[in-house]
């Protein structure tokens, strides 16, 4: 499910850096409504980040961490056994600064973290896929790491990758 994006970016903090609790509660309510559907075994948060400008906001990363804790704890309490996951950017050295994604903290609450390791977008090869995945495994404080791989060449070329690559 979309978290801080609905066609436009939605900041988890106000201009003064205060958490947007009503936004958090609204997103959690939506997540719980999905979790209540028979057969749903997990909730996946996409766009649980800033669009590359977290450093411009006071408490940017702290807000993402707090939302992650609040949402995961509420989902786990209300739906024992549910898997809570999140898609994250694949930039281990810069994620907190740019996207507000503090993996060591987020991984304490999430069951699975799925870095979007899209080699076409990063003009990288297989060795980058391996080293980036390893970096996430090393940063994790409990969450499993599932590498999200790109099934198309890049955002500029959305042609499907052949299965031979």
């Amino acid at each position: 499910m979309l978290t801080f994006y609905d066609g436009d970016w939605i900041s988890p903090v106000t201009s003064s850096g205060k958490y947007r609790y009503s936004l958090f509660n609204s997103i959690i309510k939506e997540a719980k409504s999905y979790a209540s559907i028979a057969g749903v075994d997990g909730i996946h948060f996409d766009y649980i980040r800033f669009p590359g400008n977290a450093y411009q906001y006071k408490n940017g990363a702290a807000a993402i961490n707090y939302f992650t804790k609040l949402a995961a704890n509420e989902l786990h309490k209300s739906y024992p056994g549910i898997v809570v996951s999140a898609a994250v950017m694949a930039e281990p050295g810069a994620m907190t600064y740019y996207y507000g994604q503090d993996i060591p903290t987020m991984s304490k609450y999430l069951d699975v973290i799925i870095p979007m390791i899209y080699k076409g977008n990063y003009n990288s090869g297989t060795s980058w896929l391996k080293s980036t995945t390893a970096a996430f495994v090393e940063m994790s404080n409990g969450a499993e790491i599932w590498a999200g791989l790109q099934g198309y060449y890049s955002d500029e070329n959305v042609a499907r990758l052949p299965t031979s690559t």
Side-chain angles (χ1 to χ4, degrees):
M1 63 174 281
L2 299 178
T3 308
F4 299 117
Y5 184 79
D6 68 356
D8 291 307
W9 287 97
I10 306 165
S11 177
V13 295
T14 65
S15 59
S16 63
K18 293 182 180 178
Y19 298 169
R20 296 187 58 206
Y21 294 106
S22 62
L23 173 64
F24 294 177
N25 291 334
S26 173
I27 295 167
I28 292 167
K29 181 179 178 183
E30 180 182 0
K32 287 174 73 175
S33 75
Y34 295 138
S36 71
I37 299 170
V40 171
D41 294 326
I43 297 296
H44 178 69
F45 292 111
D46 199 1
Y47 292 96
I48 186 168
R49 64 183 177 89
F50 286 83
N53 63 350
Y55 62 89
Q56 295 176 343
Y57 293 88
K58 181 180 177 185
N59 298 321
I64 300 295
N65 287 337
Y66 184 73
F67 171 80
T68 301
K69 178 181 179 178
L70 200 64
N73 286 346
E74 184 62 31
L75 286 162
H76 287 133
K77 181 180 80 178
S78 299
Y79 302 93
I82 196 161
V83 175
V84 182
S85 65
V88 297
M89 297 301 288
E91 300 171 27
M95 296 175 59
T96 303
Y97 183 76
Y98 288 107
Y99 306 107
Q101 294 176 322
D102 171 3
I103 299 307
T105 301
M106 293 173 73
S107 66
K108 293 177 185 178
Y109 309 111
L110 296 168
D111 300 301
V112 178
I113 291 180
I114 305 174
M116 299 178 291
I117 305 178
Y118 298 169
K119 69 179 190 173
N121 287 4
Y122 289 95
N123 294 317
S124 299
T126 304
S127 64
W128 177 79
L129 294 173
K130 291 177 183 178
S131 65
T132 302
T133 302
F136 277 94
V137 169
E138 188 174 314
M139 287 190 297
S140 180
N141 282 316
E144 290 185 28
I145 303 299
W146 297 355
L149 303 177
Q150 197 166 29
Y152 52 95
Y153 285 97
S154 71
D155 287 351
E156 288 73 40
N157 178 3
V158 295
R160 195 179 301 203
L161 282 172
T163 56
S164 61
T165 25

